Amino acid sequence: MGRLVGLIVFFAVAALTVPALIVRSPEIVENAADIPPKAAKPAPIVKKAALSGEVRIGVNEQGHFVSQFRMNGRPVEAMVDTGATIVAINKSTARRLGISVLPADFSYEVSTANGKTKVARAVIDVIEIGQVRVRNVEAAIIDDKSLSGTLLGMSFLNQLRSFRVESGELILKQ
């Protein structure tokens, strides 16, 4: 299969729908399923007696953990995706966050069920939800037509002290 040279992004959504996107160097391309559509409505943060540095996100109607986050100080609706290696944002969101990319930055080719596309690597300065704050989060920027929403992957989650699902809630601890 060749040597992995680039960045791997694997998007998987729980249950039977498992969309995937694998990002590798331009000469190595894998097939992948559709990128998940933007969730209809974000699940609210559950207002419980949470400890300092703890946030609880309830599951939405589609069975996903979707909520409002702040990225570089801007509100962004995102779906938490433990199957995603890194955070994935589209070009429009990147622009809103103050992340500028040049056409030459889109050097990683990916193949999805919707066709091939290029992605760029970036770093989001800060991602926040409630009292949880993570800095310098690696991200992939994807063309708007290939990714309509934002996926919050392991490049964010791995910087937390812990995260777990309990009684229909995703609990993030810093």
Side-chain angles (χ1 to χ4, degrees), residues 98-170:
I99 299 171
S100 58
V101 290
L102 301 171
D105 296 331
F106 288 83
S107 59
Y108 295 93
E109 186 174 61
V110 298
S111 180
T112 72
N114 294 328
K116 292 181 181 181
T117 191
K118 300 272 188 169
V119 301
R121 296 173 80 171
V123 173
I124 299 171
D125 294 331
V126 63
I127 298 177
E128 303 168 279
I129 182 168
Q131 295 180 9
V132 172
R133 176 180 291 155
V134 176
R135 296 189 181 280
N136 301 317
V137 181
E138 189 174 8
I141 300 173
I142 302 169
D143 190 66
D144 291 355
K145 65 184 173 210
S146 297
L147 181 66
S148 60
T150 296
L151 298 176
L152 201 68
M154 295 304 293
S155 60
F156 170 81
L157 294 170
N158 280 336
Q159 293 189 54
L160 299 175
R161 190 175 85 205
S162 69
F163 60 93
R164 71 180 190 280
V165 175
E166 183 178 291
S167 302
E169 296 177 325
L170 175 65

Side-chain angles (χ1 to χ4, degrees), residues 38 42 66-79 87-90 92-94 96-97 124 126-129 149-152:
K38 187 173 182 179
V66 178
S67 194
Q68 286 290 325
F69 290 79
R70 292 191 67 75
M71 297 183 179
N72 291 352
R74 306 255 188 222
V76 176
E77 181 181 288
M79 179 174 69
V87 172
I89 61 175
N90 61 29
S92 294
T93 301
R96 279 192 321 110
L97 301 180
I124 299 171
V126 63
I127 298 177
E128 303 168 279
I129 182 168
T150 296
L151 298 176
L152 201 68

Side-chain angles (χ1 to χ4, degrees), residues 4-85:
L4 177 64
V5 179
L7 169 70
I8 297 177
V9 180
F10 179 76
F11 301 102
V13 177
L16 298 175
T17 59
V18 182
L21 173 64
I22 299 176
V23 179
R24 297 183 184 213
S25 66
E27 66 272 4
I28 303 173
V29 178
E30 296 282 332
N31 288 328
D34 282 327
I35 303 296
K38 187 173 182 179
K41 181 173 146 186
I45 297 174
V46 178
K47 305 282 187 192
K48 288 191 175 178
L51 304 171
S52 178
E54 179 181 292
V55 172
R56 294 171 178 254
I57 302 171
V59 67
N60 70 5
E61 306 86 37
Q62 292 83 28
H64 304 295
F65 298 106
V66 178
S67 194
Q68 286 290 325
F69 290 79
R70 292 191 67 75
M71 297 183 179
N72 291 352
R74 306 255 188 222
V76 176
E77 181 181 288
M79 179 174 69
V80 178
D81 186 353
T82 60
T85 304

